[in-house]
Amino acid sequence: MLTTPIETNYYRTYNQYLQEKFGCRVYKVSIDGGFTCPNIDGSKGVGGCTFCDETGSSSRTNPKKTNITEQLLANIEHRRNRFKAQKFIAYFQSYTNTYSRIERLKKLYDEATTAHPDVVGLAISTRPDCVDEAKLDLIASYKSKILPYVSVEYGLQTIHNESLARVNRCETHEDFLQAYQWTVDRNLDHCIHVIIGMPGETWEHMMQTADKLAELKVNGVKIHMLVAMENTPIAQEYQAGLWESMTFETYVETCVDFIERLHPSCVIHRVAGNGHFKHVVAPKWMAGERREVMQAIDETFANRGTRQGSQCRFL
Ligand code: SF4
């Protein structure tokens, strides 16, 4: 378990960004708002993305099913004690956190943003096809009225529609471009989640995704490696020999290639770490290796003499 942030000179980290913005140690605290997902309940698809586990890709944020305020207060206490955090961002993480009626969204977001005086931000993770202008207006209203930091996090994963179909994503790159434009129109902070190692993708596919994010000049990117969690279709594919996970070395090299192509202004929220290691089927090397991955990424940048943006085509 990574307990303290690793600082790096090779890419712009989320910790650095928050420190610059707030001048103190700020941590995200995850909340489970009790949402589901249109790719699970049948309105867009059934079964979910092939890599989605029973937690909605959230690392089991609320096993006791407590309410928003209880979750926030418990997580704030934990982070304050363990990491000396001073301010907090309420982070709706599990499943699709804009997938409900707007009245219910407002009630949940209101509760999260007023549960504790040290909550200074709101972050909402969702699918690009689950926002509309009214929902983004609601989210933007917290920025103008209440909080200095409001962010929407979109699961893009890849710009390639054939790869999205391959993992049963049931949405398209065009859905993302529409949501992104509405988000930029409202001057909302945003973070785009991408996956390195999508089934069927070559190095060129992944670099094309990086180039597109650089061209759009997105605020932030969260980089995931595709991990097979237990009881998921991708784990079955792995066990049947239909999908191979990346080696440690290939992931590190590809991740550095990806970051080199991003715009230097982009905030890198994460470069490693998915899911709880106890429930990982493949690759087994990622169990508890987040710090090692981050160190290897730094060493690779040092050996190459490059950094974030070195290969950016949109400066
Ligand atoms: S969009 Fe997210 S919550 Fe929905 S099935 Fe895919 S990974 Fe799971």
Side-chain angles (χ1 to χ4, degrees):
M1 167 86 60
L2 186 66
T3 55
T4 52
I6 291 180
E7 290 312 328
T8 174
N9 293 319
Y10 300 105
Y11 54 93
R12 189 174 183 220
T13 69
Y14 192 48
N15 282 325
Q16 290 163 6
Y17 168 77
L18 292 175
Q19 184 72 37
E20 286 163 19
K21 187 171 181 69
F22 292 101
C24 65
R25 187 167 279 197
V26 180
Y27 267 71
K28 269 174 151 177
V29 286
S30 296
I31 310 167
D32 183 339
F35 291 94
T36 180
C37 173
N39 198 18
I40 292 174
D41 72 5
S43 65
K44 286 287 293 246
V46 288
C49 306
T50 60
F51 52 80
C52 184
D53 69 359
E54 63 193 4
T55 69
S57 295
S58 71
S59 308
R60 292 163 171 78
T61 49
N62 186 30
K64 293 182 184 160
K65 304 287 176 214
T66 51
N67 68 32
I68 299 282
T69 300
E70 288 168 333
Q71 290 177 59
L72 265 172
L73 296 182
N75 286 335
I76 284 173
E77 185 69 13
H78 174 258
R79 289 196 169 36
R80 208 189 277 290
N81 291 336
R82 183 157 188 181
F83 305 117
K84 309 289 176 240
Q86 293 159 284
K87 302 286 181 186
F88 304 91
I89 295 167
Y91 179 32
F92 284 88
Q93 183 181 16
S94 303
Y95 293 94
T96 301
N97 294 281
T98 56
Y99 185 47
S100 193
R101 289 177 300 106
I102 202 158
E103 296 77 16
R104 176 166 177 258
L105 296 178
K106 182 172 187 314
K107 189 166 175 292
L108 293 172
Y109 302 160
D110 280 353
E111 183 175 348
T113 52
T114 56
H116 192 286
D118 287 333
V119 171
V120 293
L122 174 67
I124 297 168
S125 175
T126 192
R127 287 166 59 96
D129 65 354
C130 277
V131 294
D132 56 30
E133 295 202 83
K135 289 177 180 175
L136 288 169
D137 282 341
L138 170 67
I139 294 168
S141 73
Y142 293 93
K143 180 174 180 179
S144 50
K145 288 182 201 155
I146 304 170
L147 299 171
Y149 177 82
V150 177
S151 174
V152 186
E153 301 199 4
Y154 290 116
L156 167 68
Q157 321 310 2
T158 170
I159 63 168
H160 300 286
N161 283 338
E162 60 273 28
S163 306
L164 294 172
R166 171 78 169 70
V167 297
N168 192 42
R169 186 78 189 171
C170 295
E171 66 178 346
T172 63
H173 179 48
E174 290 69 33
D175 291 325
F176 166 73
L177 291 175
Q178 175 62 84
Y180 179 73
Q181 189 56 54
W182 285 333
T183 304
V184 171
D185 288 346
R186 285 157 181 79
N187 197 25
L188 272 168
D189 211 310
H190 50 273
C191 171
I192 314 304
H193 294 222
V194 294
I195 293 179
I196 286 180
M198 290 279 276
E201 289 215 336
T202 62
W203 181 89
E204 284 77 16
H205 284 109
M206 295 180 258
M207 297 309 118
Q208 285 161 5
T209 295
D211 287 342
K212 185 65 188 179
L213 295 173
E215 182 185 359
L216 292 172
K217 292 196 171 54
V218 300
N219 290 166
V221 169
K222 190 179 280 187
I223 303 172
H224 303 265
M225 183 184 61
L226 186 56
V227 172
M229 305 295 287
E230 61 190 14
N231 303 319
T232 59
I234 197 77
Q236 289 171 359
E237 288 186 35
Y238 172 77
Q239 280 150 350
L242 301 173
W243 168 73
E244 274 183 35
S245 60
M246 275 186 165
T247 64
F248 179 94
E249 293 75 18
T250 304
Y251 179 73
V252 167
E253 291 286 334
T254 309
C255 197
V256 170
D257 294 338
F258 197 97
I259 296 170
E260 284 175 353
R261 297 174 100 91
L262 294 176
H263 195 277
S265 64
C266 180
V267 177
I268 312 295
H269 288 234
R270 175 183 281 187
V271 295
N274 281 68
H276 196 289
F277 65 87
K278 281 187 194 157
H279 305 281
V280 170
V281 173
K284 283 293 187 192
W285 61 258
M286 69 80 62
E289 296 251 353
R290 188 169 162 205
R291 182 176 286 274
E292 285 74 7
V293 171
M294 294 172 76
Q295 285 170 342
I297 286 172
D298 266 19
E299 285 165 16
T300 304
F301 274 119
N303 291 337
R304 292 185 186 186
T306 61
R307 54 169 293 113
Q308 178 182 344
S310 294
Q311 302 291 333
C312 180
R313 297 168 52 207
F314 301 94
L315 294 174

